[in-house]
Amino acid sequence: MPRYFTDEHEWIDVEGDSATVGITEYAQDQLGDIVFVELPTVGDTVEKGKEAAVVESVKAASDVYAPISGEVTEINSTLEDEPGLVNSSPEEDGWFFRVNVSDEGEFEGLMDEDAYKEFLANL
Amino acid sequence: MSDDDTLEEAELGTLPLDAWHRAKGARMVPFAGYEMPIQYEGGGIVAEHNWTRESASLFDVSHMGQLSVSGENAAAELEKLVPGAVTSLGEGRMRYSLLLTEAGGVIDDLMITNAGPHIALVVNGATKWDDIAHLREHLPDEITLTHYEDQALLALQGPKAAEVLDALVPGTGGLTFMRAAAFDWNGVPLWVSRAGYTGEDGFEISVHADTAEALADALTADERVKPAGLGARDSLRLEAGLPLYGHDLTTEIDPVSAGLGFALSKKRREAGGWMGHQACAVKLKDGCASTRVGLALEGRLPAREGAPVYAGEELVGKVTSGGFSPTLSRPIAMAYVGADYAAEGTALEIEVRNKRLPATVTPMPFVPHRYYRGS
């Protein structure tokens, strides 16, 4: 299952025509203690590069952008009660939402894991 | 992902403890013209916040301005610029006060201490240069204004702060809240006040920049003490209901609207003779159009500075500080709301990203103060 990364520190796992989105370990570390996650609603359409969710840390609110466009098919409603999951397991249990993939061409320009690691090293 | 905080490109100053912070794994951010630690490695803001409430934390507040006024009639001359009594302030006693414009707007909030030979002032970091200009403009030439740029300022805050500091600097535990005195630490002169801005018992320690690192090491060598950054400082002061200059206080806000009537001493309200008196007297007599209140929010979504406050469809105010309270595990905020909506228990709504969050006017502090006023 390929995993891609954005330069805004979102990750996306692609399985068939479904894609799961979350924020990276680096992102959660930068944000600090997360106290609230605002997720899209199932059935919403998200657009690549546009705001799709919001994370509130103790410090500030930060937007999470959709790495690709599509219709939201599922959200991680566990985060409503346990926003701290994004801190403890950002790249697994702390996933945000799933979308159906409408345009595979949009994967172009996203980074693979090695490229993202290199991107982080140069920040 | 993007952070809402915008970092301004500006020439940033370096604090005496800069290297010490970095060695402790601090994440440094630009604040008040300096690079300052927002949090340290391994903890996080909530952990640092909770540690301060349970044990003791060391905050570097060296960005703040340490000033003094001295000379004949220094107290009387300073008194013309602040609403608090200075001439009657006993030696070693301190008072929270305000620098005001003629129109009653808050230029800064500050601590004033009768330090014996001079009157010591601690002012906000972001405003210190404007404060100095204001003081110099309005104080007579024969009054000396000194800026102690070579002094660092450390705040040790929390219920175990007194035990820790007294073990290191015997006698400091004998101070009570809002008292200050000179002490000696292994031949190093310290100026210690029992004050702070977290709502906890604690101290602020002025020490020469050259010795600041040694003192910070000595304090954090005690396992009861951990360093804490600006993030925890902000959530602690919000829980304590203490206004933050530049957010809850500005030159557009007067002390009466800000709920700082206690800083306008009764005698001086009547006697006048201080900058801003007339404007404040009108507010005291006629009341304020809006006033600072505490708001308790339902749910978990915090409301931040700038969020509009509604009563039904009517826009009645604006949030000036807001965040998630680690102690209460729910969001809290300070806002200015119309006087008709300021009564305790008033049900209001705060708009956050097109959603209306129910909020109730609540007395402050949100978390009780634990100052040490003597046994």
Side-chain angles (χ1 to χ4, degrees), chain A residues 67-112:
Chain A
I68 58 155
S69 308
E71 186 183 320
V72 177
T73 56
E74 195 180 347
I75 57 167
N76 185 1
S77 48
T78 315
L79 297 182
E80 285 164 16
D81 298 322
E82 292 179 63
L85 261 186
V86 180
N87 290 121
S88 58
S89 182
E91 299 189 16
E92 285 177 49
D93 299 343
W95 62 277
F96 280 30
F97 57 87
R98 295 201 167 101
V99 292
N100 64 349
V101 179
S102 53
D103 177 5
E104 288 188 15
E106 287 186 345
F107 295 132
E108 267 188 43
L110 298 177
M111 290 176 268
D112 65 14

Side-chain angles (χ1 to χ4, degrees), chain B residues 10 24 32 73 81 182 191 195 212 223 254 265 271 278 328 333 345:
Chain B
K24 297 274 182 197
N73 297 323
L81 299 179
W191 179 256
E223 62 184 19
D254 66 274
S265 82
Q278 284 177 341
L328 304 172

Side-chain angles (χ1 to χ4, degrees), chain B:
Chain B
M1 193 202 87
S2 81
D3 206 311
D4 272 359
D5 294 348
T6 48
L7 306 181
E8 286 177 22
E9 293 283 336
E11 192 102 346
L12 293 172
T14 304
L15 294 173
L17 286 174
D18 189 274
W20 188 87
H21 295 311
R22 292 174 197 275
K24 297 274 182 197
R27 182 170 298 159
M28 306 293 278
V29 297
F31 181 80
Y34 297 90
E35 282 214 45
M36 293 191 60
I38 187 156
Q39 66 179 88
Y40 295 81
E41 206 166 56
I45 292 172
V46 172
E48 290 175 13
H49 178 112
N50 291 338
W51 186 261
T52 314
R53 292 254 181 263
E54 289 158 18
S55 189
S57 294
L58 186 67
F59 298 85
D60 181 7
V61 288
S62 300
H63 64 299
M64 298 184 80
Q66 299 181 69
L67 316 176
S68 78
V69 289
S70 57
E72 206 173 332
N73 297 323
E77 292 297 340
L78 179 63
E79 215 171 51
K80 294 176 186 171
L81 299 179
V82 297
V86 185
T87 51
S88 61
L89 199 59
E91 189 167 332
R93 288 186 175 255
M94 57 201 299
R95 172 161 288 155
Y96 174 83
S97 198
L98 304 152
L99 289 174
L100 300 176
T101 65
E102 288 287 4
V106 180
I107 295 169
D108 202 3
D109 59 343
L110 75 170
M111 295 298 259
I112 300 176
T113 308
N114 178 348
H118 61 251
I119 309 291
L121 311 177
V122 177
V123 302
N124 278 298
T127 49
K128 65 185 172 190
W129 299 108
D130 288 344
D131 293 352
I132 290 168
H134 175 81
L135 290 164
R136 195 59 280 170
E137 184 185 347
H138 295 285
L139 289 170
D141 290 347
E142 55 272 23
I143 299 297
T144 304
L145 176 67
T146 308
H147 181 195
Y148 300 95
E149 289 190 75
D150 290 339
Q151 289 289 113
L153 192 65
L154 304 181
L156 184 68
Q157 299 280 297
K160 295 183 181 168
E163 282 168 47
V164 170
L165 190 62
D166 198 66
L168 200 66
V169 187
T172 50
L175 294 170
T176 52
F177 183 55
M178 298 296 266
R179 298 269 189 139
F183 289 89
D184 175 282
W185 172 58
N186 298 333
V188 173
L190 305 179
W191 179 256
V192 180
S193 58
R194 198 153 190 171
Y197 225 56
T198 61
E200 293 296 325
D201 182 22
F203 301 84
E204 289 191 354
I205 309 159
S206 179
V207 59
H208 193 275
D210 292 347
T211 327
E213 207 170 292
L215 182 60
D217 278 337
L219 289 166
T220 50
D222 191 307
E223 62 184 19
R224 293 168 289 188
V225 180
K226 290 180 184 176
L230 289 174
R233 189 172 144 83
D234 193 49
S235 52
L236 288 158
R237 72 91 201 163
L238 178 59
E239 286 184 351
L242 301 169
L244 183 61
Y245 195 81
H247 303 266
D248 314 297
L249 297 175
T250 69
T251 50
E252 303 299 310
I253 293 168
D254 66 274
V256 185
S257 303
L260 300 176
F262 70 90
L264 314 180
S265 82
K266 191 166 176 288
K267 269 189 187 169
R268 302 204 69 223
R269 282 184 191 193
E270 288 159 12
W274 39 278
M275 193 178 285
H277 169 252
Q278 284 177 341
C280 289
V282 170
K283 297 272 182 183
L284 285 165
K285 182 169 161 284
D286 298 346
C288 303
S290 72
T291 184
R292 182 169 65 99
V293 297
L295 293 171
L297 283 79
E298 289 172 24
R300 289 186 64 89
L301 176 56
R304 309 287 179 180
E305 182 175 355
V309 181
Y310 288 89
E313 287 313 303
E314 192 183 351
L315 178 66
V316 298
K318 197 167 87 169
V319 170
T320 51
S321 281
F324 191 83
S325 161
T327 304
L328 304 172
S329 287
R330 59 177 171 75
I332 53 174
M334 285 183 199
Y336 280 85
V337 300
D340 293 347
Y341 304 96
E344 186 182 332
T346 305
L348 298 170
E349 288 180 318
I350 307 180
E351 190 175 286
V352 178
R353 296 191 291 276
N354 300 319
K355 274 198 292 282
R356 294 285 182 91
L357 311 177
T360 307
V361 176
T362 306
M364 291 190 283
F366 297 100
V367 173
H369 294 160
R370 295 200 289 183
Y371 304 134
Y372 176 71
R373 298 178 190 274
S375 47

Side-chain angles (χ1 to χ4, degrees), chain A residues 8-10 23 27 29-36 38 51 54 56-65 80 83, chain B residues 1-5 27 29 38-39 43-47 231 235 299-302 304 322-324 326 352-353 355:
Chain A
E8 296 281 0
H9 309 287
E10 291 94 11
I23 65 169
D29 183 59
Q30 289 291 311
L31 288 166
D33 303 295
I34 290 165
V35 296
F36 185 85
E38 188 172 300
E51 182 190 311
V54 181
E56 295 266 3
S57 69
V58 174
K59 188 165 67 88
S62 305
D63 293 333
V64 175
Y65 303 118
E80 285 164 16
Chain B
M1 193 202 87
S2 81
D3 206 311
D4 272 359
D5 294 348
R27 182 170 298 159
V29 297
I38 187 156
Q39 66 179 88
I45 292 172
V46 172
S235 52
R300 289 186 64 89
L301 176 56
R304 309 287 179 180
F324 191 83
V352 178
R353 296 191 291 276
K355 274 198 292 282

